[in-house]
Amino acid sequence: MMSDPGERERIINRRISIAPMMDWTDKHCRYLFRLLTKNALLYSEMVVAKAVCHAGPERFLSFNQEEHPIALQLGGSVADELARCAKLGEQYGYDEINLNIGCPSDRVQSGRFGVCLMKEPQLVADCVAAMRAVVAIPVTVKTRIGVDDQDSYQALHQFIETVARTGCETFIIHARKAWLQGLSPKQNRDIPPLQYQRVYQLKRDFPDLEIIINGGISDYDSIHQHLHNVDGVMIGRKAYQAPYFLSEIDQHFYACSTKQVTAVEILQQYSHYVQRQLDRGVPLASLLRHLMGFFRGVPKGKQWRRYLSEHIHQKNAGIDVLLSAIELMH
């Protein structure tokens, strides 16, 4: 359902954000994240602009209003298509539009978007300018520090400088380069070395830009350290693989005095959402798959994962599966 932008005057705080992750951060996952942190900025999975233009927006752009603040991430390289989707995203109520210049999969290479666009900074600038021209909400860019043999700091600096001329003020930097040939998307998340100092240098060279760092950040001490050097931290796989990690974000980074909610309390709240979605015909597995790592690293955590794995796909499985699993962890 579309909303009136006039009703959504929000100042986005990007101190902590949760990364867009394909096949993971759907609207059910984001609803769970929002129960864990009221303040961190959430991102949609990457939505391909061409698909929205051809198949219609509702399938790709709908989300739960409880997810605010939330950004829509788009993938594409055709300025008109991106502008149209950005406008639709604003009409649907998103708080930010983000352009993906970081994904290294074969799919994005064949479609000429994602990290391969680091080689075409002026095209990226043209796309950002087209989106900014039709929306009042922020347009941001998520990129890497380099691609293939184009991995010098000078090239990264030039890329940021070119895109920033459009008026784009916020850049999320995954502190790894990407190899388009020879490494799978999964390997590109692990093998290229992290180079946080390059991201820090960007902040020093562009003090007026908002620079957010991403890549391999999985503990609070590291987050605090990064925040001494950049404006914000984006958390990726840690948030999905161990969601309860997010439960102290508000207390640590937003000066919230509210008491941390227990894991069981979060799950009980999520169970109400699950029941509503089941009533709408959403499969149980689509709702509970995001909970597999909820008790990662704690006693009975393996028992929790095993119980869910064995029951969520059973015929006629319902809310009782989650309630029984919660009871198991009491």
Side-chain angles (χ1 to χ4, degrees):
M1 178 181 296
M2 297 188 182
S3 63
D4 179 1
E7 298 176 354
R8 299 178 295 100
E9 295 182 1
R10 293 185 177 86
I11 297 176
I12 300 178
N13 186 330
R14 299 184 184 84
R15 185 171 175 82
I16 304 294
S17 55
I18 313 301
M21 292 174 275
M22 288 295 292
D23 299 322
W24 288 1
T25 51
D26 62 19
K27 63 182 180 181
H28 310 308
C29 176
R30 298 191 304 264
Y31 188 94
L32 174 66
F33 287 167
R34 186 54 74 214
L35 293 176
L36 290 157
T37 168
K38 303 302 182 187
N39 294 283
L41 175 61
L42 304 182
Y43 280 76
S44 75
E45 302 172 88
M46 182 183 68
V47 175
V48 179
K50 187 178 294 293
V52 176
C53 292
H54 286 82
E58 182 64 24
R59 172 185 170 190
F60 297 99
L61 302 186
S62 65
F63 65 96
N64 302 293
Q65 290 302 308
E66 295 89 344
E67 295 173 42
H68 287 294
I70 179 171
L72 169 65
Q73 187 182 70
L74 296 175
S77 59
V78 179
D80 290 346
E81 290 178 346
L82 286 165
R84 179 180 171 188
C85 291
K87 187 64 177 177
L88 286 169
E90 182 180 51
Q91 291 171 347
Y92 265 74
Y94 285 91
D95 303 298
E96 171 191 314
I97 305 297
N98 177 261
L99 181 61
N100 182 315
I101 312 293
C103 183
S105 73
D106 293 338
R107 177 187 176 198
V108 302
Q109 292 180 57
S110 62
R112 198 187 176 204
F113 56 97
V115 73
C116 62
L117 290 178
M118 286 199 77
K119 298 179 180 181
E120 302 183 73
Q122 188 55 54
L123 175 58
V124 174
D126 293 343
C127 290
V128 171
M131 291 188 286
R132 282 177 46 81
V134 297
V135 300
I137 58 178
V139 175
T140 67
V141 170
K142 186 175 188 292
T143 188
R144 291 205 177 211
I145 59 172
V147 55
D148 293 339
D149 294 325
Q150 181 183 305
D151 63 353
S152 68
Y153 179 75
Q154 181 181 5
L156 176 62
H157 186 284
Q158 181 183 3
F159 177 85
I160 299 297
E161 186 175 47
T162 300
V163 180
R165 291 195 195 107
T166 67
C168 180
E169 298 177 341
T170 301
F171 293 83
I172 301 107
I173 313 293
H174 185 163
R176 285 188 176 92
K177 65 176 288 185
W179 284 106
L180 294 179
Q181 302 296 328
L183 292 182
S184 69
K186 182 179 185 302
Q187 290 171 322
N188 264 304
R189 292 194 295 265
D190 296 301
I191 292 177
L194 287 161
Q195 300 186 56
Y196 295 135
Q197 291 300 324
R198 286 201 178 186
V199 185
Y200 297 167
Q201 186 63 50
L202 281 179
K203 181 59 188 177
R204 290 192 290 269
D205 289 347
F206 297 96
D208 294 332
L209 296 180
E210 185 178 31
I211 302 295
I212 313 299
I213 197 167
N214 170 234
I217 302 168
S218 59
D219 61 80
Y220 289 143
D221 287 344
S222 297
I223 295 173
H224 280 291
Q225 179 60 44
H226 288 306
L227 289 174
H228 289 303
N229 297 280
V230 291
D231 301 297
V233 169
M234 176 176 276
I235 305 166
R237 282 171 287 169
K238 178 70 173 183
Y240 190 84
Q241 294 170 348
Y244 194 61
F245 169 80
L246 300 176
S247 64
E248 294 183 68
I249 288 290
D250 292 351
Q251 287 78 16
H252 275 262
F253 304 106
Y254 293 94
C256 292
S257 58
T258 55
K259 182 182 178 182
Q260 180 186 8
V261 183
T262 69
V264 168
E265 288 171 335
I266 292 293
L267 292 171
Q268 288 171 337
Q269 293 176 38
Y270 188 62
S271 70
H272 300 307
Y273 173 79
V274 170
Q275 184 61 68
R276 293 196 300 273
Q277 296 301 312
L278 290 173
D279 292 342
R280 296 173 182 172
V282 178
L284 184 70
S286 298
L287 298 160
L288 299 196
R289 68 188 182 98
H290 306 298
L291 296 178
M292 290 297 179
F294 203 82
F295 289 101
R296 181 180 294 270
V298 304
K300 299 172 75 173
K302 292 182 179 179
Q303 189 175 350
W304 164 266
R305 290 194 298 276
R306 184 168 59 249
Y307 184 88
L308 290 182
S309 298
E310 291 174 352
H311 291 83
I312 61 175
H313 296 287
Q314 290 182 354
K315 186 177 180 180
N316 299 323
I319 191 65
D320 58 300
V321 171
L322 177 56
L323 298 179
S324 297
I326 294 172
E327 186 64 29
L328 185 71
M329 300 304 294
H330 262 299

